[in-house]
Amino acid sequence: MSTPAGPASPAERYAAATRRIAQDGPALTAFQQLYDFTFDDFQLRSCRALDAGHGVLLAAPTGSGKTVVGEFAVHLALAEGRKCFYTTPIKALSNQKYSDLVRRYSAAKVGLLTGDNSVNGEAPVVVMTTEVLRNMLYAGSPTLAGLGYVVLDEVHYLADRFRGAVWEEVIIHLPESVRLVALSATVSNAEEFGDWLSQVRGGTTVIVDDQRPVPLWQHMLVGSRLYDLFTRSGNGAGRPVVNPELIRIAQRDDWAQRRGPGRGQGRGRRPARGGRRPHQFRVSSRPQMIERLDTAGLLPAITFIFSRAGCDAAVLQCLAAGLRLTTPEEAAQITELAERRVADIPAEDLGVLGYADWLAGLRRGIAAHHAGLLPTFKEVVEELFAAGLVRAVFATETLALGINMPARTVLIERLDKWNGEQHAALTPGEYTQLTGRAGRRGIDVEGHAVVLWLPGTDPGAVAGLAGTRTYPLSSSFRPSYNMAVNLVGWAGRDRAAALLESSFAQFQADRAVVGAARRARKLRAEIASLSPQCELGDAAGYAALRRELTELEAGQSKTRSQARRKELDRSLEQLKRGDIIRVTGGRRPGMAVVLEVSLAGARPQPVVLTHNHQVKRLSVTDFAGPVSPVDRIQVPGAFSTRSAKLKKDLAATMRNKLAGRDLGRPPRAARAPDNADITRLRRELREHPCHRCPDREQHARAAGRQWRLERDAEELEQRIAGRSHVIARTFDRVCALLDELGYLDGGKVTAQGRRLAGLYTELDLLTAESLRRGLWDELDPAELAACVSALTFEKRKADDAPPARLPPGRCRGVLAEMERVWQELDEAEKQHKLSFLREPDLRFGWAAHAWASGQRLERLLSPDLTPGDFVRAVKQLIDLLDQIAAAASPAPVAATARDAIDALRRGVVAYSSVG
């Protein structure tokens, strides 16, 4: 019997530390001592690879602790006296990471660079958005000196169709000496992405971890009862199956909906024999949902509602229901923090921003979180939620895109959302991203994902979302105008094209080409094996004659068919109401009287009453050839297709009109004479030696298969050619358009091109053209803000709202001229087979002009323009005005742009904080 081990002796602890240092090295050992938890295996493997001089791609679930590896890159940079840039996809995440690193390393060692903030930019550790780093690389910024490490947090953003190219630009253009740490959510093709990183950056270690650090349980909330989504099967395999009780609930719900309300369920009426009346499950209200989670000990929770208005309404519903999740002491803490954070906002603006309802919700532990909120309000919600003081948050899916705000439970209200064009079902990737918030590492033993049951919900579909683990990462890269002039100026035209060939987009295209090329080679080999041989003559030549004859005959038949169809169309168009015609095709040919002739898809389609009283809409398939009326009758003006008597009477009138007439069979269409080429080919075919071969049909079948395979191989090879060098070809078309407009001169960037190189915006070329043509030269600051807003603002979703409210004065004429320039550029793009520039959006112009003119906030906000939308739109406008000021200098419009920035950066726009 062994005795329990006692505490380790000093010598044993020293030996264990020595072994750990030998395995992990002094840097990683020292780094682990900064944390109060033991690193997971994937974190250790990633850090060891980085310490050994490798780049790292780490793909792991949300909330698993990937950022530890990024923070180790910071630790190594400081230890080596080098710089580390920590990049994030969104400014809010940059602000959050900046605060985390300042707490660990001090404000003197950490900087922040976003479009809104510039703090200590020359520090050894700088947090920034990925766009800022891309711009630095193109500009050759001196801040890049001494850069040793770059962390690309949330690198799976490179799949984003609007901003994804930025990540690839950074990866391609970073100096080879920089070690890259790429942190990604779980994707199914991490190895493919890692192979590409190794190809463009050198040695990269790929580490994939699929295990969540906190196990996740899946549930459905039906009425007031919480059901497990999965149970374990009884077959011994332990594989999860959908809870049978949920399936029975869905079946009962489907049965009840089919029967409809009141059918057999009236008051006092007994249920059907042999069964109880199906139970009608009531959908929980939002306050009831939160109360149920609270009772089960599943708070704090994030409820995802795919509507900003829905999130705000949920908070008000909870307030109206008297829901309270905090103690008086906690409410006082919340009030103190909220009042301190909004102290700089004037009281009159707080009223416009809905401060009273917002604070009332916070005091009860309830809040909304979405892009429509004032940034300061969102930051307070995040801080209080992280502190455990806010316990129920109603959020849109934007919360799942990077902000560190984990909960014990995530509740999803619906399984579909508006994607800007239509309501679309959630994808497994989106479901996993949302539920990834559930389960706080180091706090919760397990996390919980809850789907609200709604009538028509299919538990199997929910299980499919929860059980799918295939989310491929696909490149959205394409060369823009700004990218083209920057690349040509930085590397020259030929080398720029070669650099673009190394993009992940081309890498993926080439991989797809590999499989297609393999299939094409197999087809070519099979074609060679099928080559027919004939002792009497040239079998291939004979097969070619047969094929040519077949094609000519088919073409002649098609021509005759097209001619007959045109003649038929003309005859149908000439029919009049009351004409009696013969229907020669379809399932029931016979006589019919025309009621009306209408066009459907530009083809005439008469509506007729048939001899057996049916009203039908006919098409060309109902006729063998052109139609001529046999006779005509008068159709009464009061005739109705709904009246059986009137239809019977009209059919009888038609029969009486035709009585005794010998209509006979319809004449057959005369056969067109043979084409001279067809006659010649038929003669050559009969005279060919192989025509007498007893095996000619066997040879013909082999030749026919060979020809079909040849056609398939050619189509495949054309597709291969279309995907090969696709990025470089697009780049060539972009450069050709820029040559035509004078931004490039062959391999050189012109003065106008250098201006374009400093304009990082979706409508970069339209911005540059507006500057070049002097469209803004005579504008004052407020007018310039209004006009430039058309280049930055874009409505969240299309609707049939009234026309944009235009600002006063010179703006209207300038905006009209900008639209005309866009039309010119759009036409030029079409000629070059490009489509990059969306139409400018004028719907923020009036608000931008009013705000820059000093108008109060309350005059500008509306249900379509929330505080968060307004602040974000103004900050995007300021960012582009800042670029214009730099690009246009020393022209007078540069000074106007700076004055516009000063006029816009006031009030709520200036309230956002760093931390």
Side-chain angles (χ1 to χ4, degrees):
M1 182 175 178
S2 60
T3 58
S9 67
E12 289 171 332
R13 291 198 299 274
Y14 177 78
T18 302
R19 286 194 300 273
R20 191 166 60 249
I21 292 172
Q23 182 179 16
D24 293 340
L28 180 52
T29 302
F31 179 66
Q32 290 181 76
Q33 292 171 358
L34 300 174
Y35 294 82
D36 56 3
F37 59 85
T38 302
F39 284 9
D40 288 338
D41 179 63
F42 77 88
Q43 293 168 323
L44 286 172
R45 287 189 290 127
S46 301
C47 291
R48 287 169 186 156
L50 191 58
D51 197 19
H54 292 261
V56 172
L57 167 63
L58 171 59
T62 300
S64 59
K66 296 187 292 289
T67 55
V68 164
V69 183
E71 289 164 6
F72 184 53
V74 172
H75 181 84
L76 287 174
L78 291 173
E80 297 168 5
R82 303 172 77 189
K83 288 182 179 180
C84 178
F85 289 170
Y86 197 111
T87 77
T88 71
I90 54 178
K91 295 171 185 176
L93 193 54
S94 291
N95 293 341
Q96 192 175 75
K97 199 67 203 177
Y98 169 75
S99 298
D100 293 344
L101 293 175
V102 164
R103 281 193 292 270
R104 170 156 293 165
Y105 295 110
S106 82
K109 292 183 178 179
V110 183
L112 175 69
L113 294 174
T114 67
D116 299 334
N117 296 298
S118 177
V119 180
N120 197 18
E122 296 302 322
V125 178
V126 185
V127 183
M128 61 184 68
T129 53
T130 317
E131 281 88 351
V132 169
L133 177 53
R134 184 271 312 273
N135 299 353
M136 282 178 148
L137 289 166
Y138 282 142
S141 170
T143 304
L144 294 166
L147 182 62
Y149 297 85
V150 165
V151 180
L152 294 179
D153 204 353
E154 310 281 351
V155 74
H156 51 272
Y157 260 77
L158 67 78
D160 184 270
R161 68 190 182 100
F162 296 111
R163 300 173 54 213
V166 174
W167 276 260
E168 292 191 48
E169 289 178 82
V170 166
I171 291 168
I172 292 169
H173 302 326
L174 275 173
E176 291 182 13
S177 60
V178 175
R179 262 177 273 176
L180 196 67
V181 179
L183 307 177
S184 171
T186 307
V187 292
S188 58
N189 61 335
E191 288 78 8
E192 178 189 41
F193 185 49
D195 288 346
W196 174 69
L197 285 173
S198 293
Q199 181 173 297
V200 296
R201 305 276 332 146
T204 300
T205 299
V206 179
I207 295 171
V208 179
D209 186 78
D210 294 323
Q211 297 301 313
R212 285 175 49 93
V214 179
L216 182 66
W217 292 90
Q218 306 278 349
H219 312 276
M220 290 191 72
L221 179 60
V222 184
S224 61
R225 185 171 173 186
L226 206 59
Y227 291 85
D228 288 338
L229 176 60
F230 295 110
T231 60
R232 296 287 168 184
S233 65
N235 59 9
R239 296 177 61 187
V241 296
V242 179
N243 189 336
E245 184 61 28
L246 285 173
I247 295 174
R248 283 193 289 271
I249 289 169
Q251 289 170 341
R252 289 202 296 271
D253 168 57
D254 182 55
W255 186 91
Q257 288 194 58
R258 286 203 307 271
R259 285 184 59 84
R263 293 185 58 188
Q265 298 182 31
R267 181 177 295 179
R269 188 170 298 180
R270 297 175 59 84
R273 185 178 64 183
R276 294 176 300 172
R277 185 179 301 141
H279 180 60
Q280 294 282 344
F281 292 98
R282 296 182 61 186
V283 178
S284 298
S285 69
R286 286 157 177 165
Q288 289 170 336
M289 291 177 344
I290 301 304
E291 287 179 329
R292 180 66 186 87
L293 295 180
D294 191 21
T295 301
L298 297 181
L299 296 183
I302 298 170
T303 300
F304 283 108
I305 301 173
F306 305 119
S307 157
R308 298 176 179 185
C311 293
D312 294 334
V315 174
L316 295 178
Q317 290 159 11
C318 291
L319 291 177
L323 187 63
R324 184 181 294 277
L325 305 173
T326 56
T327 65
E329 293 77 17
E330 289 170 333
Q333 279 183 266
I334 290 167
T335 303
E336 187 277 328
L337 186 144
E339 290 179 344
R340 174 164 44 85
R341 293 294 300 275
V342 303
D344 294 333
I345 303 178
E348 60 269 21
D349 281 354
L350 287 177
V352 177
L353 297 169
Y355 173 73
D357 287 339
W358 175 72
L359 182 59
L362 290 181
R363 285 175 53 82
R364 295 188 180 202
I366 305 161
H369 188 289
H370 55 73
L373 284 178
L374 188 72
T376 301
F377 284 15
K378 282 199 298 181
E379 291 166 8
V380 171
V381 171
E382 292 161 12
E383 190 171 341
L384 291 172
F385 192 81
L389 294 171
V390 165
R391 296 188 173 95
V393 168
F394 298 95
T396 56
E397 71 273 19
T398 53
L399 177 60
L401 299 178
I403 300 299
N404 183 25
M405 214 168 120
R408 178 168 296 163
T409 302
V410 161
L411 192 152
I412 299 177
E413 196 174 76
R414 299 185 64 91
L415 294 176
D416 66 317
K417 65 172 186 172
W418 180 258
N419 64 8
E421 297 177 357
Q422 61 183 349
H423 283 280
L426 286 182
T427 66
E430 290 168 333
Y431 182 88
T432 299
Q433 186 80 20
L434 297 173
T435 57
R437 295 279 161 198
R440 297 164 298 174
R441 183 168 188 168
I443 301 175
D444 298 317
V445 176
E446 57 194 24
H448 298 268
V450 181
V451 172
L452 178 66
W453 177 89
L454 296 171
T457 301
D458 177 9
V462 180
L465 289 172
T468 302
R469 291 290 178 267
T470 303
Y471 322 117
L473 182 62
S474 299
S475 173
S476 60
F477 182 86
R478 63 178 188 176
S480 67
Y481 301 113
N482 169 277
M483 186 196 303
V485 291
N486 271 300
L487 274 175
V488 172
W490 182 57
R493 194 150 171 171
D494 292 340
R495 184 163 170 256
L499 282 168
L500 292 176
E501 287 276 73
S502 64
S503 67
F504 187 45
Q506 189 60 57
F507 182 82
Q508 289 190 308
D510 288 344
R511 285 219 162 177
V513 162
V514 168
R518 188 182 303 116
R519 292 195 299 275
R521 286 196 298 272
K522 287 183 178 179
L523 286 176
R524 288 295 177 195
E526 190 173 356
I527 289 167
S529 70
L530 285 172
S531 184
Q533 302 293 327
C534 179
E535 295 178 355
L536 298 180
D538 178 11
Y542 180 72
L545 275 176
R546 286 183 63 143
R547 188 162 60 249
E548 186 180 357
L549 176 60
T550 301
E551 289 173 353
L552 271 177
E553 288 175 335
Q556 187 183 61
S557 174
K558 183 178 179 181
T559 300
R560 286 199 300 266
S561 175
Q562 289 172 342
R564 282 199 304 270
R565 177 161 290 193
K566 286 181 181 179
E567 194 176 350
L568 173 59
D569 284 349
R570 283 195 296 271
S571 69
L572 291 176
E573 288 171 359
Q574 293 169 4
L575 292 177
K576 301 288 189 297
R577 180 179 172 92
D579 284 345
I580 300 174
I581 61 174
R582 183 194 298 275
V583 180
T584 54
R587 288 186 299 174
R588 294 181 180 175
M591 306 307 294
V593 59
V594 176
L595 302 178
E596 64 173 89
V597 178
S598 61
L599 290 177
R603 304 298 300 273
Q605 293 192 340
V607 176
V608 301
L609 176 72
T610 67
H611 61 278
N612 55 0
H613 314 162
Q614 282 189 323
V615 175
K616 294 175 61 177
R617 183 180 294 277
L618 304 178
S619 69
V620 293
T621 59
D622 292 299
F623 302 97
V627 181
S628 296
V630 174
D631 211 324
R632 62 180 291 106
I633 58 176
Q634 184 70 33
V635 178
F639 178 80
S640 170
T641 58
R642 296 182 180 181
S643 170
K645 182 179 183 305
L646 290 177
K647 288 190 288 185
K648 184 177 179 182
D649 289 348
L650 187 61
T653 302
M654 177 177 64
R655 284 196 300 273
N656 292 336
K657 184 76 170 180
L658 299 175
R661 189 176 305 187
D662 181 16
L663 297 174
R665 294 177 61 85
R668 298 186 60 173
R671 181 173 176 178
D674 284 344
N675 181 283
D677 288 334
I678 292 177
T679 303
R680 174 182 56 80
L681 285 170
R682 285 173 178 166
R683 185 180 64 254
E684 290 181 13
L685 201 65
R686 287 193 300 270
E687 295 173 353
H688 196 285
C690 292
H691 193 66
R692 298 187 299 275
C693 177
D695 299 323
R696 73 179 184 192
E697 293 307 315
Q698 180 181 342
H699 294 164
R701 284 193 294 272
R705 175 163 174 73
Q706 183 187 37
W707 177 77
R708 288 191 296 273
L709 291 175
E710 178 74 36
R711 183 184 57 195
D712 292 345
E714 287 177 357
E715 288 178 359
L716 203 55
E717 286 160 356
Q718 285 174 2
R719 287 213 309 272
I720 291 168
R723 300 197 71 169
S724 299
H725 311 292
V726 63
I727 302 297
R729 286 203 306 274
T730 303
F731 176 69
D732 287 341
R733 291 198 292 269
V734 167
C735 289
L737 178 54
L738 292 174
D739 275 327
E740 187 177 292
L741 295 174
Y743 291 93
L744 290 176
D745 182 8
K748 295 181 180 179
V749 179
T750 65
Q752 295 297 335
R754 287 191 292 275
R755 174 180 282 177
L756 173 59
L759 299 171
Y760 299 94
T761 177
E762 184 183 3
L763 294 178
D764 47 9
L765 191 55
L766 180 54
T767 308
E769 280 293 293
S770 299
L771 276 173
R772 183 167 76 166
R773 301 183 190 208
L775 301 187
W776 304 327
D777 288 355
E778 303 302 320
L779 300 179
D780 65 30
E783 292 168 338
L784 179 62
C787 292
V788 173
S789 75
L791 305 173
T792 57
F793 186 76
E794 187 173 12
K795 189 76 171 171
R796 282 195 312 125
K797 61 183 180 182
D799 58 26
D800 46 3
R805 182 179 180 182
L806 296 178
R810 291 170 289 194
C811 296
R812 300 185 179 208
V814 173
L815 286 168
E817 187 65 16
M818 288 170 61
E819 285 196 306
R820 191 185 65 75
V821 173
W822 170 78
Q823 290 170 350
E824 286 182 20
L825 294 176
D826 184 59
E827 188 59 38
E829 280 195 323
K830 288 174 182 174
Q831 292 173 4
H832 288 269
K833 298 181 181 178
L834 298 169
S835 180
F836 289 171
L837 301 174
R838 65 166 175 84
E839 187 173 359
D841 192 331
L842 313 185
R843 284 172 287 187
F844 192 65
W846 182 85
H849 185 276
W851 184 249
S853 300
Q855 293 280 2
R856 291 167 61 95
L857 180 65
E858 62 188 16
R859 291 199 57 196
L860 309 182
L861 298 182
S862 70
D864 290 331
L865 187 62
T866 65
D869 289 333
F870 175 78
V871 170
R872 185 171 59 257
V874 173
K875 288 192 172 184
Q876 289 171 341
L877 174 55
I878 288 172
D879 188 39
L880 182 53
L881 284 167
D882 192 42
Q883 295 176 32
I884 289 170
S889 184
V893 72
T896 309
R898 285 189 285 270
D899 290 341
I901 292 170
D902 293 339
L904 292 167
R905 191 178 279 139
R906 65 178 181 89
V908 288
V909 177
Y911 298 152
S912 64
S913 62
V914 172

